[in-house]
Amino acid sequence: MTRPAKPGPPEPGQPEPGPPGQPPPAHRSAAQHGRLRLAVWVVSLAQLMAVLDTTIVNIALPHLQSSLAFPATNLEWVVNAYSLAFGGLLLLGGRAGDILGRRTVFIAGTAVFTAASLLAGLAVTQWWMIAARAAQGAGAAFAVPSALALIADTFPGKRERSRAVGVFTAIGAAGGAFGILVGGVLTTFVGWRAVFFVNVPIGGAILLAAPLVLPRSNRRPGRFDLTGALTGIGGVTLLVYTLITGATNAGGHSHWGDPAVIVSGAAALVLLGAFGAREASVPHALVPLRLFAQRPRFGAYAITVCIGTAMLGNLFFLTLFLQRVWGYSPLATAAVYLPPSLMLTAGPQAASRLINRTGPKALIVAGLLIASTGMYGMSLMGEHGSYVTSMLAPTVIGYAGLSLTGVPLITVTLAGIPEGRNGVASGLYTTARQVGGAAGLAVVGTVAWAAWAGVLTARRSGAVPGGDGVTALVARQAMTAAADRAFLGSAIIVLTAAIIALLTIGGRSRTVQPG
């Protein structure tokens, strides 16, 4: 008995296939089209909540610290607890969706995230808040990979998937920058607890709509590789912890030599090495290493790390620069992000239309070159620059370039994935972005704070005219030097990503073969 041949791509002029059990696009009713559009929005809103929570909390930290009597040494864990749980559990969350059913895991992760958001908003002690933030990160780690995998399952056709990924990417990308604006408004006019409560109605709406509009995904044969899960989760978590705590702080004092950082970094390398060896030797690997065998997909992951590094480092120091050098209030700083955030929303929509004409490589390279140009322009702002020409123009250019890369990178990541592995491939993509974000403050921050400390040292030693002591003028000069170095470093990282794209991503006629 012969096996039936796998369906190939549609012939020119023929309709694209629809989701399993559904008619192709040309044969769908208006109600079916509406249901699929709603499905995209449901999974995209889950992505929005997860991304929003990485930035929205930052604006509220001073008010939260005062309300819960957080010591300065523990306050960073309000952010780090979320980042560690999110980054460490992503691979397990992606694999859980592959085995247990993506819709089931997506709904469960969203429910955990929503409940944890409510608990965070009700927190009355430090440890209550930190535990709730960790639970938020865990919920997001299971919801986000399944969300992206559900798009791949629901829209197998090339054009439809590009449009769906465009919506998903636009909402997720804008969430990071809009988080600052929303956080500023809510904290100023409602209070810090509102930055957590805002997730509750969104999560509730997702939980009501998901069973109605998302396709049911069956359990698949397979089992969890417990040893691989433990070494992978431990390795990624310790790597993120090392990058977060190793970055220099606002005082310019490096933590890379601290015993805790050295031990955690060494342990991360050991665990990740054991994880790689384990995954190469077991049939039910948590992350099949053959997913990295295709050069385009490997390049897409590396580029995603670079973009996460540059973007978060750039965002962090732009916020500090605007407040400490140009004297902007938190609300005014939040408003500054509105124009570039609009670019992050519009860019993926344009990319989803262009990708079928240009192919992913051209869009990725062009977007990265545009972004590096904008970030280099930001490094020239200076203490006395103008808002429109010195800050707004290069920032919009930089964000516009980055906004063109998300759709083609996800397309390359998901192209040719073996059946049943979309979840773990999506988890790897999000892990790359999360590790890149942690590296943003580690790599860019280390360079920037070194420039900051250099100005202060020169002032105290008398090398800078004007006498000793740290006056407001000196503080602004130091912060300007740090921000300029951060923006320049981000530009170099993005330019490096463009070179990686040229070397790894295939041209328009080349596609990723099944891994």
Side-chain angles (χ1 to χ4, degrees):
M1 184 174 178
T2 59
R3 282 177 153 180
K6 289 186 178 181
E11 297 294 329
Q14 297 298 315
E16 291 187 272
Q22 297 186 33
H27 299 156
R28 292 190 199 130
S29 66
Q32 289 170 325
H33 277 293
R35 180 177 175 179
L36 290 176
R37 283 196 294 269
L38 186 57
V40 175
W41 280 94
V42 166
V43 297
S44 297
L45 284 176
Q47 162 84 340
L48 173 66
M49 287 198 305
V51 174
L52 197 67
D53 239 57
T54 62
T55 56
I56 192 174
V57 176
N58 288 283
I59 294 292
L61 285 179
H63 298 267
L64 186 154
Q65 180 181 18
S66 176
S67 177
L68 299 183
F70 258 96
T73 53
N74 289 346
L75 186 64
E76 64 184 20
W77 282 103
V78 176
V79 176
N80 293 349
Y82 180 88
S83 298
L84 289 173
F86 188 25
L89 293 172
L90 276 167
L91 297 181
L92 182 61
R95 182 59 175 151
D98 287 337
I99 296 177
L100 302 177
R102 290 172 191 131
R103 190 178 78 171
T104 300
V105 172
F106 172 78
I107 292 173
T110 302
V112 170
F113 183 92
T114 304
S117 298
L118 177 62
L119 291 174
L122 296 173
V124 294
T125 66
Q126 299 171 29
W127 292 111
W128 180 341
M129 171 60 70
I130 292 173
R133 288 289 287 163
Q136 278 187 300
F142 282 81
V144 172
S146 293
L148 186 53
L150 279 166
I151 286 183
D153 290 345
T154 307
F155 300 96
K158 182 179 178 182
R159 292 183 182 278
E160 281 206 313
R161 181 183 290 187
S162 295
R163 288 193 291 267
V165 169
V167 174
F168 182 86
T169 307
I171 292 176
F178 272 121
I180 297 176
L181 177 61
V182 174
V185 172
L186 290 177
T187 302
T188 301
F189 297 108
V190 183
W192 68 265
R193 296 182 187 274
V195 304
F196 300 108
F197 288 147
V198 72
N199 292 321
V200 177
I202 299 175
I206 294 171
L207 293 174
L208 288 175
L212 302 177
V213 301
L214 296 180
R216 182 183 297 277
S217 47
N218 298 323
R219 291 171 176 260
R220 298 180 182 273
R223 60 183 179 83
F224 288 105
D225 173 21
L226 181 59
T227 302
L230 291 176
T231 54
I233 292 170
V236 173
T237 301
L238 286 173
L239 176 62
V240 173
Y241 171 82
T242 301
L243 292 172
I244 290 173
T245 57
T248 53
N249 60 24
H253 304 296
S254 173
H255 292 287
W256 292 112
D258 290 0
V261 173
I262 294 173
V263 171
S264 65
L269 292 177
V270 171
L271 287 174
L272 290 174
F275 174 70
R278 172 73 180 180
E279 300 307 276
S281 62
V282 296
H284 297 287
L286 181 67
V287 178
L289 297 186
R290 64 179 180 274
L291 290 178
F292 299 101
Q294 295 294 330
R295 189 172 62 179
R297 188 179 299 118
F298 178 81
Y301 288 140
I303 293 165
T304 301
V305 171
C306 291
I307 290 175
T309 301
M311 192 167 184
L312 190 60
N314 189 284
L315 188 71
F316 179 81
F317 281 97
L318 178 59
T319 302
L320 288 181
F321 176 84
L322 291 174
Q323 294 189 26
R324 295 188 182 182
V325 179
W326 284 5
Y328 283 25
S329 68
L331 189 59
T333 301
V336 164
Y337 285 99
L338 185 58
S341 297
L342 293 176
M343 297 304 305
L344 289 176
T345 304
Q349 297 302 304
S352 67
R353 293 181 176 88
L354 291 172
I355 190 171
N356 293 319
R357 301 179 184 177
T358 65
K361 180 175 185 175
L363 270 181
I364 293 171
V365 173
L368 292 172
L369 291 177
I370 293 171
S372 63
T373 301
M375 290 180 179
Y376 174 74
M378 292 175 68
S379 72
L380 305 177
M381 277 196 295
E383 183 180 351
H384 304 292
S386 68
Y387 166 73
V388 174
T389 59
S390 301
M391 197 285 292
L392 181 62
T395 302
V396 167
I397 291 172
Y399 277 56
L402 290 178
S403 72
L404 294 175
T405 64
V407 171
L409 283 171
I410 292 177
T411 299
V412 173
T413 297
L414 296 180
I417 292 293
E419 186 178 359
R421 291 293 184 175
N422 279 331
V424 71
S426 303
L428 281 169
Y429 171 81
T430 312
T431 299
R433 191 175 60 193
Q434 187 72 7
V435 170
L441 296 183
V443 178
V444 176
T446 296
V447 174
W449 289 125
W452 184 92
V455 171
L456 295 186
T457 300
R459 164 66 79 174
R460 293 189 179 106
S461 67
V464 176
D468 296 329
V470 180
T471 64
L473 174 61
V474 176
R476 289 197 301 271
Q477 291 174 345
M479 192 67 247
T480 300
D484 289 350
R485 191 70 59 86
F487 301 146
L488 180 59
S490 297
I492 293 172
I493 292 170
V494 171
L495 186 60
T496 301
I499 296 172
I500 294 173
L502 287 170
L503 296 176
T504 60
I505 307 296
R508 181 177 180 182
S509 61
R510 298 180 60 187
T511 58
V512 181
Q513 299 301 316

